PDB file of all heavy atoms in Angstrom:
ATOM      1  N   PRO A 124      41.080  -6.794 188.992  1.00 96.00           N
ATOM      2  CA  PRO A 124      40.843  -8.173 189.159  1.00 96.00           C
ATOM      3  C   PRO A 124      39.456  -8.620 189.470  1.00 96.00           C
ATOM      4  O   PRO A 124      39.034  -9.707 189.119  1.00 96.00           O
ATOM      5  CB  PRO A 124      41.947  -8.774 190.086  1.00 96.00           C
ATOM      6  CG  PRO A 124      42.972  -7.699 190.022  1.00 96.00           C
ATOM      7  CD  PRO A 124      42.345  -6.359 189.906  1.00 96.00           C
ATOM      8  N   GLU A 125      38.802  -7.780 190.360  1.00 96.00           N
ATOM      9  CA  GLU A 125      37.390  -8.135 190.677  1.00 96.00           C
ATOM     10  C   GLU A 125      36.419  -8.204 189.453  1.00 96.00           C
ATOM     11  O   GLU A 125      35.399  -8.808 189.539  1.00 96.00           O
ATOM     12  CB  GLU A 125      36.938  -7.053 191.710  1.00 96.00           C
ATOM     13  CG  GLU A 125      37.584  -7.210 193.050  1.00 96.00           C
ATOM     14  CD  GLU A 125      37.300  -5.940 193.900  1.00 96.00           C
ATOM     15  OE1 GLU A 125      37.925  -4.918 193.750  1.00 96.00           O
ATOM     16  OE2 GLU A 125      36.322  -6.089 194.769  1.00 96.00           O
ATOM     17  N   GLY A 126      36.871  -7.521 188.411  1.00 90.00           N
ATOM     18  CA  GLY A 126      35.997  -7.627 187.143  1.00 90.00           C
ATOM     19  C   GLY A 126      34.853  -6.633 187.157  1.00 90.00           C
ATOM     20  O   GLY A 126      34.385  -6.245 186.009  1.00 90.00           O
ATOM     21  N   THR A 127      34.377  -6.090 188.218  1.00 90.00           N
ATOM     22  CA  THR A 127      33.394  -5.164 188.304  1.00 90.00           C
ATOM     23  C   THR A 127      33.374  -4.316 189.560  1.00 90.00           C
ATOM     24  O   THR A 127      34.113  -4.768 190.504  1.00 90.00           O
ATOM     25  CB  THR A 127      31.939  -5.874 188.134  1.00 90.00           C
ATOM     26  OG1 THR A 127      30.929  -4.811 188.147  1.00 90.00           O
ATOM     27  CG2 THR A 127      31.676  -6.645 189.418  1.00 90.00           C
ATOM     28  N   ARG A 128      32.825  -3.181 189.565  1.00 92.00           N
ATOM     29  CA  ARG A 128      32.871  -2.314 190.830  1.00 92.00           C
ATOM     30  C   ARG A 128      32.324  -3.018 191.981  1.00 92.00           C
ATOM     31  O   ARG A 128      31.232  -3.698 191.938  1.00 92.00           O
ATOM     32  CB  ARG A 128      32.120  -1.097 190.543  1.00 92.00           C
ATOM     33  CG  ARG A 128      32.170  -0.044 191.699  1.00 92.00           C
ATOM     34  CD  ARG A 128      31.247   1.160 191.383  1.00 92.00           C
ATOM     35  NE  ARG A 128      29.783   0.733 191.327  1.00 92.00           N
ATOM     36  CZ  ARG A 128      29.033   0.682 190.391  1.00 92.00           C
ATOM     37  NH1 ARG A 128      29.413   0.987 189.157  1.00 92.00           N
ATOM     38  NH2 ARG A 128      27.708   0.284 190.513  1.00 92.00           N
ATOM     39  N   SER A 129      32.854  -2.827 193.161  1.00 96.00           N
ATOM     40  CA  SER A 129      32.335  -3.379 194.422  1.00 96.00           C
ATOM     41  C   SER A 129      31.028  -2.817 194.787  1.00 96.00           C
ATOM     42  O   SER A 129      30.838  -1.648 194.648  1.00 96.00           O
ATOM     43  CB  SER A 129      33.358  -3.210 195.519  1.00 96.00           C
ATOM     44  OG  SER A 129      32.736  -3.578 196.828  1.00 96.00           O
ATOM     45  N   PRO A 130      30.089  -3.635 195.010  1.00 94.00           N
ATOM     46  CA  PRO A 130      28.778  -3.064 195.363  1.00 94.00           C
ATOM     47  C   PRO A 130      28.576  -2.484 196.792  1.00 94.00           C
ATOM     48  O   PRO A 130      27.540  -1.789 197.033  1.00 94.00           O
ATOM     49  CB  PRO A 130      27.835  -4.261 195.155  1.00 94.00           C
ATOM     50  CG  PRO A 130      28.706  -5.464 195.609  1.00 94.00           C
ATOM     51  CD  PRO A 130      30.057  -5.222 194.981  1.00 94.00           C
ATOM     52  N   ASP A 131      29.509  -2.797 197.560  1.00 95.00           N
ATOM     53  CA  ASP A 131      29.375  -2.335 199.031  1.00 95.00           C
ATOM     54  C   ASP A 131      30.684  -2.051 199.651  1.00 95.00           C
ATOM     55  O   ASP A 131      30.764  -1.889 200.988  1.00 95.00           O
ATOM     56  CB  ASP A 131      28.706  -3.524 199.832  1.00 95.00           C
ATOM     57  CG  ASP A 131      29.420  -4.864 199.606  1.00 95.00           C
ATOM     58  OD1 ASP A 131      30.617  -4.880 199.261  1.00 95.00           O
ATOM     59  OD2 ASP A 131      28.795  -5.902 199.824  1.00 95.00           O
ATOM     60  N   GLY A 132      31.707  -1.674 198.971  1.00 96.00           N
ATOM     61  CA  GLY A 132      32.982  -1.411 199.552  1.00 96.00           C
ATOM     62  C   GLY A 132      33.960  -2.465 199.958  1.00 96.00           C
ATOM     63  O   GLY A 132      35.077  -2.180 200.361  1.00 96.00           O
ATOM     64  N   ARG A 133      33.432  -3.668 199.894  1.00 97.00           N
ATOM     65  CA  ARG A 133      34.244  -4.837 200.263  1.00 97.00           C
ATOM     66  C   ARG A 133      35.048  -5.290 199.125  1.00 97.00           C
ATOM     67  O   ARG A 133      34.809  -4.894 197.895  1.00 97.00           O
ATOM     68  CB  ARG A 133      33.358  -6.038 200.785  1.00 97.00           C
ATOM     69  CG  ARG A 133      32.670  -5.626 202.091  1.00 97.00           C
ATOM     70  CD  ARG A 133      31.976  -6.855 202.705  1.00 97.00           C
ATOM     71  NE  ARG A 133      30.836  -7.243 201.747  1.00 97.00           N
ATOM     72  CZ  ARG A 133      30.026  -8.347 202.065  1.00 97.00           C
ATOM     73  NH1 ARG A 133      30.266  -9.084 203.094  1.00 97.00           N
ATOM     74  NH2 ARG A 133      29.086  -8.691 201.121  1.00 97.00           N
ATOM     75  N   LEU A 134      36.102  -6.049 199.334  1.00 98.00           N
ATOM     76  CA  LEU A 134      36.996  -6.566 198.244  1.00 98.00           C
ATOM     77  C   LEU A 134      36.551  -7.965 197.952  1.00 98.00           C
ATOM     78  O   LEU A 134      36.414  -8.869 198.768  1.00 98.00           O
ATOM     79  CB  LEU A 134      38.424  -6.618 198.659  1.00 98.00           C
ATOM     80  CG  LEU A 134      39.446  -7.015 197.662  1.00 98.00           C
ATOM     81  CD1 LEU A 134      39.572  -5.985 196.602  1.00 98.00           C
ATOM     82  CD2 LEU A 134      40.725  -7.281 198.367  1.00 98.00           C
ATOM     83  N   TYR A 135      36.226  -8.242 196.627  1.00 98.00           N
ATOM     84  CA  TYR A 135      35.732  -9.437 196.218  1.00 98.00           C
ATOM     85  C   TYR A 135      36.766 -10.344 195.467  1.00 98.00           C
ATOM     86  O   TYR A 135      37.954  -9.821 195.076  1.00 98.00           O
ATOM     87  CB  TYR A 135      34.527  -9.266 195.337  1.00 98.00           C
ATOM     88  CG  TYR A 135      33.273  -8.928 196.047  1.00 98.00           C
ATOM     89  CD1 TYR A 135      33.207  -7.542 196.515  1.00 98.00           C
ATOM     90  CD2 TYR A 135      32.232  -9.872 196.367  1.00 98.00           C
ATOM     91  CE1 TYR A 135      31.917  -7.329 197.269  1.00 98.00           C
ATOM     92  CE2 TYR A 135      31.199  -9.491 197.044  1.00 98.00           C
ATOM     93  CZ  TYR A 135      30.997  -8.171 197.506  1.00 98.00           C
ATOM     94  OH  TYR A 135      29.838  -7.840 198.282  1.00 98.00           O
ATOM     95  N   ARG A 136      36.572 -11.567 195.325  1.00 98.00           N
ATOM     96  CA  ARG A 136      37.397 -12.609 194.684  1.00 98.00           C
ATOM     97  C   ARG A 136      37.797 -12.095 193.283  1.00 98.00           C
ATOM     98  O   ARG A 136      37.106 -11.595 192.554  1.00 98.00           O
ATOM     99  CB  ARG A 136      36.704 -13.922 194.620  1.00 98.00           C
ATOM    100  CG  ARG A 136      37.629 -15.080 194.227  1.00 98.00           C
ATOM    101  CD  ARG A 136      36.808 -16.356 194.057  1.00 98.00           C
ATOM    102  NE  ARG A 136      37.770 -17.508 194.035  1.00 98.00           N
ATOM    103  CZ  ARG A 136      37.610 -18.643 193.448  1.00 98.00           C
ATOM    104  NH1 ARG A 136      36.388 -18.823 192.842  1.00 98.00           N
ATOM    105  NH2 ARG A 136      38.487 -19.649 193.556  1.00 98.00           N
ATOM    106  N   GLY A 137      39.085 -12.313 193.117  1.00 98.00           N
ATOM    107  CA  GLY A 137      39.786 -11.789 191.783  1.00 98.00           C
ATOM    108  C   GLY A 137      39.469 -12.904 190.705  1.00 98.00           C
ATOM    109  O   GLY A 137      39.548 -14.170 190.912  1.00 98.00           O
ATOM    110  N   LYS A 138      39.374 -12.420 189.550  1.00 96.00           N
ATOM    111  CA  LYS A 138      39.319 -13.113 188.361  1.00 96.00           C
ATOM    112  C   LYS A 138      40.790 -13.354 187.803  1.00 96.00           C
ATOM    113  O   LYS A 138      41.672 -12.627 188.029  1.00 96.00           O
ATOM    114  CB  LYS A 138      38.591 -12.488 187.165  1.00 96.00           C
ATOM    115  CG  LYS A 138      37.002 -12.442 187.617  1.00 96.00           C
ATOM    116  CD  LYS A 138      36.135 -12.101 186.500  1.00 96.00           C
ATOM    117  CE  LYS A 138      34.594 -12.122 186.927  1.00 96.00           C
ATOM    118  NZ  LYS A 138      33.823 -11.806 185.790  1.00 96.00           N
ATOM    119  N   ILE A 139      40.982 -14.522 187.036  1.00 96.00           N
ATOM    120  CA  ILE A 139      42.234 -15.057 186.796  1.00 96.00           C
ATOM    121  C   ILE A 139      43.029 -14.335 185.647  1.00 96.00           C
ATOM    122  O   ILE A 139      44.204 -14.736 185.435  1.00 96.00           O
ATOM    123  CB  ILE A 139      42.300 -16.548 186.582  1.00 96.00           C
ATOM    124  CG1 ILE A 139      41.349 -16.881 185.374  1.00 96.00           C
ATOM    125  CG2 ILE A 139      41.861 -17.225 187.829  1.00 96.00           C
ATOM    126  CD1 ILE A 139      41.440 -18.442 184.973  1.00 96.00           C
ATOM    127  N   GLY A 140      42.463 -13.373 185.010  1.00 95.00           N
ATOM    128  CA  GLY A 140      43.108 -12.723 183.904  1.00 95.00           C
ATOM    129  C   GLY A 140      44.415 -12.002 184.293  1.00 95.00           C
ATOM    130  O   GLY A 140      45.250 -12.061 183.557  1.00 95.00           O
ATOM    131  N   VAL A 141      44.409 -11.477 185.469  1.00 97.00           N
ATOM    132  CA  VAL A 141      45.573 -10.802 185.986  1.00 97.00           C
ATOM    133  C   VAL A 141      46.794 -11.809 186.086  1.00 97.00           C
ATOM    134  O   VAL A 141      47.927 -11.466 185.705  1.00 97.00           O
ATOM    135  CB  VAL A 141      45.379 -10.049 187.290  1.00 97.00           C
ATOM    136  CG1 VAL A 141      45.021 -11.000 188.366  1.00 97.00           C
ATOM    137  CG2 VAL A 141      46.612  -9.180 187.600  1.00 97.00           C
TER     138      VAL A 141
END
Side-chain angles (χ1 to χ4, degrees):
E125 291 168 280
T127 187
R128 185 186 67 247
S129 172
D131 51 22
R133 296 184 294 175
L134 184 70
Y135 284 77
R136 191 182 196 207
K138 296 191 174 183
I139 60 175
V141 63

